[in-house]
Amino acid sequence: MKFLKTSIFAIATVFVLSNFVAAEAVVPNTGRGYSAVTSSTVTPLADGSTLIQQTTHGFWIETTTEAGFPSEKAADCNVTMLLSAEGAMIAYRSICTATDIDGDLFVGTIGATKSDFSDCAWTMYGGSGKYAGVSGGGQCAPAGTITKDGNSSKSTWTGEWVLP
């Protein structure tokens, strides 16, 4: 009888734990983005630093993505940059929404504190439709400008999504 109770408890524990493991799937996510500045405000601050606030619109193309998640998305971002009096970046933060062809969207952030963006990181916070409950994050990097004025640029990223 003790063996039967122990066996039932062990099987139930394995079943419960397997459901927790099966509840989340981690998938790689890499891609590239193309963005253009749609508005920009530059504010000189009293200490000589400069605050730059921008909105951007772009296209993000994921080169690896989970089945059922369209690889192409339109992205709108609100960017805030703080530059030192010497023009070095102190902080970069961006909050973005990316919308796919089905109208589902997710919210993500991008951040860096080094002028060369070597510490650039992104985080995904879920969204609507198929993106509800999806999280994730990884590294990002600038990939250069597209126009001479620097208002259109490209970027790349790597990381992973955690599916609910």
Side-chain angles (χ1 to χ4, degrees), residues 109-130:
T109 59
I110 303 166
T113 58
K114 295 182 179 178
S115 291
D116 65 358
F117 278 75
S118 60
D119 64 340
C120 186
W122 62 271
T123 304
M124 182 179 178
Y125 294 99
S128 66
K130 67 182 79 64

Side-chain angles (χ1 to χ4, degrees), residues 12-30:
T13 301
V14 168
F15 177 76
V16 168
L17 291 177
S18 68
N19 281 339
F20 285 138
V21 172
E24 291 187 347
V26 177
V27 295
N29 182 273
T30 62

